[in-house]
Amino acid sequence: MSKKIICITTVIVIMFVSFTGCSVKGTKRDLSSLAIVIGLAIDKNEGDSQGFETFGDEQARILMTAQVVRNDSVGQQGGSGQGADSAGKGDVGKPYWNVEVVGGNLLEAIRAATHVTNRSLYLAQNQVVVISSDIAKEGIAKYLDFFFRDHETRYDVSLIIAEGNAGKILATESHLDNLPAQDLYKLINSQKRDSGTPDCTLFSFIRDYKTEYKSALVPFVRVIEPKEEQRSPFLFVAGSSIFVEDKMVGILDEKQTRGVLWVSDRVTDGVVALDFDGIAVSLEVINSKGSFTAEYSDGKIKVKSKVEAKLSLGEYQGQGQFDTEKVKMLEKMCEEEIKKEINEGFEKIREKSADVLGIGNYFYRFKYKQWQKIQEDFLEMYKNANMEIEVDAQIIRTGSLLKPIDANSGGKNE
Amino acid sequence: MFLEYIFKKLKYNNNTKCGVPQKQEEQTPVPPNIDNAEQMLKERFCFSNDFVTRRLNVNYVENKSCNGLIAYMDGMVRQDLLSESIIKPLLHGRQETFLLSNRSKSKNEKNSKVDKINNTILSTGEVKKEKDFEKAVEAILNGDCVLFLENSAECSIISCKGYEKRTIEQPSYEVSMRGPRESFNENLRTNTTLLRRRVKNSNLVFENLVKGRKTRTNLCITYINGLAEKKLVDEVKRRISKINVDMILESGYIEEYVEDSPFSIFATMGITERPDVLAAKLMEGRVGIIIDGSPFVLTVPFFFIEAFQNPEDYYTRTIHSGIIRIFRYLAFFLSIMVPGIYVALTSFHQELIPTSLLFTIAASSEGVPFGSFAEVSLFLLVFELLKEAGIHMPKNIGQTISIVGGLVMGEAAIQAGLIGAPVVIIIAFTAVSSFVVPTMGNEVTLLRWIFLFLGGFLGGFGIAVGIIGLTVHVTGLESFGYSFASPFMPCRPEDLKDTFVRAPLWMMRRRPYGMAQGDKVRENTPIPPDRETSNENGEKNYE
C-alpha cells in the first residue's frame, strides 16, 4: 500500500511541476487586461518615428497601425454608456482606437505598442491585415513570417492590399458598423455576391506563393473621398492586385478579375449585364463550374478552359414575348460576354507573367514529361500562351415572371 | 495510515472486513407472578408516564378465572380494539365461549392457560405465545399489548397497533405529471401494502429485520423470489447483518453503513418514494430495503443512468419521452460544466469565443473589480446560499426572500457594477439546468464547484482533466457487485434501449443483463403491435 502511495504522490508532484507551463501567471489573463486587436495595417514609415526606438536602418522601418476595440463601448451596457458623445479632443471617445507604432519589424512594433497602450495587444481575434501597395510592390512575404510563427495570430485572416496608405483604410469609418476593421472584413466577405474580387487569406497567399510559378490575387481596396463636404469618405473594393512571387505587379479591375475567376472555379454569384439589341438584360449566376486543361505542342502552351454557368434571368427591360428563341439568343450573348471577360483577364495576367490559374502547377501534376521540357522557360512561354475558351451558359429560370412586365405595352392587345 | 484508509474507502468493496457480530440477547423468562411482572415492567420502562398496566380477572374456562395483567403503551394501541376485542372477551369470556371451548378442545391435549385464551377467547387478528420477557418488552415497544397470567410461564402478545401516521400523500421529491400519485409514508406496514397492491405475486418476499441496538428499527428487505439473483440478496443480507450501531433513524443511515465507496460523489444506492417505481425496480431483479420511519426506500443495485430515468418516461409515449431524456442528459452536463467552461474561456482561451460575443463579455466586465473566476464563484456562492435558505425557510417569508434574491441581488449587483450580466445569465442557466435532474442535485452541486476551480486555475486543460477524472471515477464505481456505469461499461448494446432514449415498451424484451436470472424474458408481445391488414383477396388478417 505504501508503494502505491509513493507512486501516486510522485505522479501528482510531476503533474504540478509540469503545470507551470500552463501556470496561472503565465497564461491567465483577464479580459480587462487585453487590448483586442481586430485589424492590422502595415505601411512604410515616412516622417519621424514619434519617439519609438527601432533597430535597423531608417528606410526599413514600418508603421504599424493596430485597431484596438474599446471594451466598454461595444455591447448593450457600454453602448448606452458612451453614446455618440465624443467628448474628447480628436479621436478619444470612439469605440475603437488606431494605435500607430513604428518599428523595424512587426514583432518589435507590436511590442513597442506597450509604450502607448495600457494593455497588451491581443492578436487572436484579428480579422484583417491591410498592407499598403508601396510595401506590396517590394515584397510582403517577409512580413508574413511573424503571422505564422506567433502562437496567438491566426493565418485565416483576410489579406488586403490598400491603394496608398493602409492606415487610412482602417481609419475610414463606415456607415453601417461601429468598427472600421470589422466593416472591412465583412465587406471583403460580401464580395462573394458579385465575384469581382477573390477572397484571400494569409494561408492561401502563402500556399500560392510556395507553389511554383503560381500567382495570387489579393483584394484591392481604395478610399474614395466624395467632393461634397457632408459626405464622409468610404471604402471601395476595386478588383484585385496581381502578385508575382510576393511582389505586386499590377491591378485587375472587377471584370478582369471575374474573368480569371470564371476559369478558376471561384465564381459563386454575380450579374452578367447584356445589351440585347438595345434591350438591357441582366442575368444572375446561380451556379458556375470552371476548369481548364493545358497542353504543350508546337512550341506553345495551349490552354483549353471550360466554363459551365447556370443563370437566371434577373431583369428584362424589353417588351414582347419571351420565347425559347430569345432564350437561346440570350444564352449565346451571355457566353460571348463571359468569353470576353475571360479573355480580358487572361490578357492582363499573361502580360504580367502572372500564372494565376496555375497552369504551371497543372503541367507539374498531370503532364510531367511535358513539364520537364518547358520548366525553365515557362514564364516566357506563358506570355505567348494560347487560350481556347468554351462557355456553356444555361438560363434555367426566369425569376417570378414568365413574360416581361412590359409585355403588352400601353394596353394594346396583341 | 490515514491516507491508506482514505484510499481504501475511495475504492469499492470496503465492507468485507468491518462489522462485529451481534451478541445474543439474553433470555429472560416471563415471571409467573404478575405482581413481579408488573414491577419488572415498570422498572424496565423507567416509570414512564405513557406505559399503562391494567389488572383484570380473566375467565378462561368454565368456573375458572385467574388474575391477568395487560400492559401496553398509551398512544400506540387502538383503544377501541383493545376494549372491544381484547379486554371485553377476557372479562366476560366464560359465558360466551363456554360451549365453544368445550367443543373445540381435544381431549388428549393439555393446553396451557395461555393457549386456551389465545385460541378461544381473544378475537384479534394476530396472537402469539411468548416465553421470553425481552420479546414481550419489545412487543410493547412496537405497539402491541401483552397479557400476563398468574402462575403462567407464558405471556400472550396481542397485536393491536394503532398510532397516528401521515396519510398517503403525493410524492414531493419525484413528481411526475402522468402516473400514480401515491407515495410511501413513514409506516412500514403501509409501505409494504402499497407495494403489495402493485405486485400481486406470491413470490414477493418481505424479510423483516431489526437494526439499531437502541432504536430497534424495523427493516424490510423485499425482492421477488426467483427473479432477483440469489447472490445479490445474500450480499444485501450479509451487509445489513454486519451493521452494529445504536440507532437507525432513516434510510440514509442504512445507506451509509452498507454502500460501496462512501467517499464517492455519486450515490451507489437508489432511493425512491413511489411504490410504482419500486415495483418496476423489483421486477427488474433488484432488491429493495424499506425502513420503518422513512418514506424513502433504498433500491440496490443503482446505476448512473437510473438517475436520469423518471417514472413519467415510461407512462408517456416513446418519442416525447426520448427527447425529454436527451434533454436531461444535456441539462446535467451543462449544469456541471457551464461555469467552469465560461471561466476557462474568458481567462485562458479568449480566442475560442466568437468576436462579437467577446466584445459583449468584455464590455460587461469592464468596470467590474473582480476577475472572471472571482465573479463567477462569488455569484455561485450567493446562489447556493439562496438555495439552502429557500429549503429551510418558513412559507410566509418565502416569497419575500425569492424576490430579494432574484430580482434585487441580480439587478442591483449588475447596476452597481459588481458583476457582469453574462455571469448572472450563466449562473441562472446553471441553476435551472440542475433542477431538470433533481435526483442528481447533490452531485451536481459538488461537481460544479470542482469544474469551476479546475477551469479557473488550469483553463481548458483543467476541464479536460476534470472530464477524464470524472469518467474514470464513474466507471470505477461498483454497486453491490454490479458495475455502476453499465450498460456503458461493460457495454451491452441490448441494454442501451433504456439509456439515452426510451425504446418503446414492446421493444424491451429482456431484463437487464446479469440481474434477473430467474426470468429473463419480460414479455412476448410481437414487435410492433398487431396490425390488421388485408391480403390480395380482401380478407383481413393480423400480422
Side-chain angles (χ1 to χ4, degrees), chain A residues 24-38 66-74 95-97 99 110-111 113-114 116-126 150-152, chain B residues 342-355 357-368 370-372:
Chain A
V24 171
K25 239 181 169 184
T27 55
K28 182 169 177 176
R29 50 198 171 199
D30 224 11
L31 275 176
S32 52
S33 68
L34 297 177
I36 304 177
V37 173
I38 48 168
Q67 183 158 102
V68 170
V69 179
R70 203 190 147 115
N71 278 350
D72 65 350
S73 64
V74 189
Y96 63 93
W97 176 34
V99 186
I110 287 174
R111 202 46 67 93
T114 50
V116 289
T117 52
N118 64 355
R119 310 162 183 217
S120 52
L121 294 186
Y122 180 62
L123 294 168
Q125 296 272 352
N126 187 25
D150 192 56
H151 67 280
E152 221 173 57
Chain B
Y342 172 80
V343 172
L345 283 183
T346 53
S347 298
F348 290 87
H349 307 290
Q350 294 89 353
E351 62 264 14
L352 290 177
I353 308 178
T355 313
L357 184 61
L358 184 64
F359 292 157
T360 315
I361 297 179
S364 64
S365 4
E366 192 51 29
V368 171
F370 312 116
S372 187

Side-chain angles (χ1 to χ4, degrees), chain B residues 88-247:
Chain B
K88 184 164 158 197
L90 286 174
L91 289 178
H92 309 300
R94 186 184 58 169
Q95 303 289 356
E96 285 106 36
T97 64
F98 163 63
L99 289 167
L100 227 56
S101 68
N102 271 340
R103 262 186 240 139
S104 61
K105 193 168 62 177
S106 92
K107 301 219 160 101
N108 294 331
E109 279 177 24
K110 277 210 167 177
N111 286 342
S112 65
K113 276 193 271 192
V114 173
D115 270 330
K116 287 188 191 131
I117 291 173
N118 283 351
N119 293 342
T120 60
I121 297 181
L122 292 172
S123 53
T124 53
E126 185 185 351
V127 288
K128 272 195 295 228
K129 193 169 63 167
E130 191 56 58
K131 287 197 169 107
D132 186 9
F133 186 69
E134 290 300 323
K135 293 249 166 53
V137 168
E138 181 145 349
I140 293 176
L141 286 167
N142 271 329
D144 295 331
C145 73
V146 181
L147 171 68
F148 293 93
L149 291 174
E150 189 73 48
N151 293 331
S152 168
E154 293 166 338
C155 62
S156 184
I157 299 184
I158 312 159
S159 84
C160 52
K161 293 192 184 89
Y163 34 70
E164 302 285 337
K165 51 189 186 241
R166 196 163 58 98
T167 51
I168 296 177
E169 289 169 358
Q170 298 204 10
S172 57
Y173 182 63
E174 286 166 79
V175 182
S176 71
M177 292 204 317
R178 182 164 174 178
R181 305 269 174 91
E182 285 178 332
S183 80
F184 290 127
N185 72 358
E186 286 80 4
N187 188 18
L188 184 65
R189 185 52 67 215
T190 316
N191 296 345
T192 56
T193 313
L194 282 172
L195 183 62
R196 188 62 86 177
R197 284 207 303 125
R198 279 171 175 76
V199 183
K200 288 183 234 179
N201 193 340
S202 54
N203 282 328
L204 176 66
V205 172
F206 293 102
E207 289 189 26
N208 203 33
L209 296 169
V210 179
K211 280 280 140 189
R213 289 190 307 260
K214 301 221 158 55
T215 55
R216 313 293 293 166
T217 316
N218 286 320
L219 303 178
C220 248
I221 299 180
T222 94
Y223 55 94
I224 298 188
N225 195 13
L227 199 62
E229 259 195 329
K230 191 158 188 324
K231 189 179 75 166
L232 176 65
V233 178
D234 287 343
E235 177 69 15
V236 173
K237 284 195 213 167
R238 186 186 67 84
R239 290 197 194 186
I240 292 189
S241 68
K242 285 195 184 289
I243 299 177
N244 183 18
V245 280
D246 272 351
M247 61 177 182

